[in-house]
Each structure stands twice: as structure tokens, then as C-alpha cells.
Amino acid sequence: MNDGPFHTALRWAITARGLSLDRLHDRLAERGAAVSVSTLSNWQRGSSRPRNADALRAVAVLEEILQVPPDSLRRLLGEPGAAAGGRQAPVPGTPRLPAHRLRAAVGAPTEPDLDVLAAHDDVTLLGGDRYAATARVVVRARHTGVHRYIVLHHTQSRALPTIRAVRDCAVGLARTDPAEGLAAVELVFEPLGKGETYAFEYHLTGSLSEHYYGRWFPSGGPSYELTLRRGPEAAVARAYRIWRLDGRSPHKDLAELRLIGGTLAHLALFDMHPGFHGVRWSRD
């Protein structure tokens, strides 16, 4: 792989694969990472660079299509114009080992003691990458005495969210890993009997450098509902249902969602496959 700069390495990789920009555009679109031919041309000429979350996600897909080593193109964006400190460009996905460590720090069980029967996220984009979200979760206890639920939240923004209890729960232990963009909070409630169901609500506020929101369902799930609202200061032009199986694959756009009244996108899923389900949005 060419050592850079980014546009030279990209042009070399495209030439080596023998792909036209039109064909590359089609291959990206097939994988849910739409990039115009003119943008691809600008990237390989060096007149512009991938910068936002959608563009960086497309570069990860480009690496697969062009059959170059993972991160070989994205690391070149750590040259002038990238994030301070030379950090690698962010890609979607929660870092697995740091997440395990943080869950252990708040005493999360190694085996789930609750089944999530349903979840609803109501997310409002406030502008300037700020957001506020209210989550309602319905659970069922696998054994007697279960009295807590662990919220693990990952963001590629350096600003970790504030998480507070809203209804029928209280905040217990809380731990963060700012370097990995992770926050873990224990929500506690009255002990449940085996098989009992329970619902509670919590609230998050923070900022997102990435333009997507959703949840992991490691074993799938009966239902998930997500409402995305555009506040008066937020810019949202399009919204898409997204899914990814695991941390080794990029998000896939499964369907475009209509912006109802120009301000609201709604997603309702039932009998879900395992993986990350959510909504991403674009500003143009």
C-alpha cells in the first residue's frame, strides 16, 4: 500500500483494482455508503478530503472494495487536517475490550440476568451536534432478586453524555473511559421475581460527532422503536435505517426513512436479527 498522502494512495489503489469512478460509486452504493463520482474524483485529486462521519465510514468501505489493508487509507487522514494529536479517524462501533472492562467496573454480570423485551429511544437533535434522548426499556428477570440494569453508551465525540434516571429507577454506580468515548451507569430498582417484567426510563444529553443513533441487540430482540426529531436549530436532510452485525463491518443503509413533516423520522422493528439497529442522518 502506498504510504501517502491520502489522495495519492487512493488513486494508486483505484488504478491497481482497475475500477472506474462510476463503478466504484456503484460498488459503494451497493454497500450503503453513497459517495458521488465528483466527490471520489476530488478525493483522488487531493482537492478535498473525507472529514465527516459519513465520509469516513465510506473510506472504511473503500478499503474493503479496493482490497487494501484495514485502516491503511484512514490512517493517512491522520496527516494535516485530521484530529488533533494524530488520532486515527473514527469508525463506527463500540470498542469491545474497553467496554468489557467498564462493565466489569460497575459490576455487570458476565451472563445476562435480564432479557430486554422492548426498547424505545426518543432522540431530539438540538443543533451543533448536541442531542437529548429519553429511553424506555422493558425487561424480564431471568432469576429472583435482579434489581439493576447497566447502561453502556459509546460516542466518538470527546464529550461523554450525562445519564440520569427519569422514572422507576435510580442511578447507582457510574464509570467512564473518556479515551474510548465510553460511559457506564448502573440503574437500580426494586428486586424482581423470576419471570417478572418491569419498565423504566432514563435520559441522556450530550453531543455526537457521528450522525447515527441506535442500540446493540446481541441476541436480537422482540421490538425496538426509535423516534428521531429534528430540533429547530438542527440540519437534517435525509434519514436512513441502518444495521450492522458486529464491530468488524460498517453500517449498512437498509432503507431511507421519510422525514414526516420534515422534522421526524420513525423506526419500528419486530423480531429483530442480532446486531446494531438504528437511524443515521445526513445534512445534505
Side-chain angles (χ1 to χ4, degrees):
M1 181 67 194
N2 194 298
D3 285 333
F6 170 81
H7 67 277
T8 302
L10 176 61
R11 186 170 61 249
W12 177 88
I14 293 172
T15 300
R17 289 288 295 148
L19 293 173
S20 68
L21 294 185
D22 285 321
R23 181 57 183 147
L24 196 55
H25 161 79
D26 292 341
R27 295 280 295 276
L28 284 164
E30 290 169 0
R31 301 187 183 205
V35 180
S36 68
V37 172
S38 61
T39 296
L40 289 171
S41 177
N42 289 337
W43 286 357
Q44 73 166 358
R45 289 189 291 110
S47 57
S48 68
R49 293 163 60 92
R51 295 186 184 278
N52 63 33
D54 290 344
L56 295 171
R57 187 175 68 90
V59 174
V61 179
L62 270 174
E63 291 170 346
E64 296 179 10
I65 295 171
L66 298 174
Q67 297 180 6
V68 298
D71 296 327
S72 59
L73 289 174
R74 281 169 289 171
R75 69 178 175 82
L76 298 176
L77 294 169
E79 296 170 355
R87 294 183 64 183
Q88 181 176 303
V91 294
T94 302
R96 182 176 300 178
L97 291 179
H100 286 330
R101 287 196 295 267
L102 203 61
R103 284 177 55 83
V106 293
T110 55
E111 294 294 330
D113 51 15
L114 288 168
D115 293 314
V116 175
L117 302 182
H120 174 213
D121 290 323
D122 195 314
V123 183
T124 300
L125 304 178
L126 304 174
D129 292 329
R130 294 176 300 113
Y131 77 97
T134 298
R136 176 178 171 84
V137 182
V138 181
V139 297
R140 180 175 56 212
R142 291 189 175 186
H143 55 79
T144 299
V146 179
H147 68 285
R148 60 187 187 147
Y149 174 85
I150 305 299
V151 176
L152 179 69
H153 192 85
H154 175 239
T155 177
Q156 290 168 350
S157 167
R158 291 177 181 241
L160 291 174
T162 298
I163 302 174
R164 62 180 178 83
V166 173
R167 181 173 295 169
D168 300 324
C169 63
V171 172
L173 297 173
R175 298 289 186 271
T176 63
D177 185 342
E180 296 291 348
L182 289 167
V185 171
E186 175 192 49
L187 299 178
V188 297
F189 38 81
E190 288 295 315
L192 303 177
K194 181 178 180 180
E196 277 191 329
T197 59
Y198 192 73
F200 53 89
E201 296 181 12
Y202 60 94
H203 189 74
L204 303 95
T205 54
S207 63
L208 296 167
S209 58
E210 64 275 23
H211 296 156
Y212 66 89
Y213 198 98
R215 284 179 180 264
W216 279 103
F217 293 88
S219 303
S223 70
Y224 177 49
E225 182 183 5
L226 192 156
T227 302
L228 179 74
R229 306 176 190 273
R230 179 179 65 82
E233 298 181 10
V236 177
R238 294 178 181 274
Y240 304 86
R241 175 191 169 188
I242 60 173
W243 171 81
R244 69 198 304 252
L245 176 61
D246 54 39
R248 296 182 297 275
S249 57
H251 291 145
K252 296 181 179 179
D253 289 346
L254 300 184
E256 183 169 357
L257 302 174
R258 185 168 74 92
L259 287 174
I260 302 169
T263 61
L264 182 150
H266 185 258
L267 178 67
L269 304 175
F270 305 93
D271 297 322
M272 296 176 295
H273 294 297
F276 178 92
H277 297 265
V279 172
R280 79 168 182 90
W281 58 93
S282 63
R283 294 175 170 176
D284 48 29

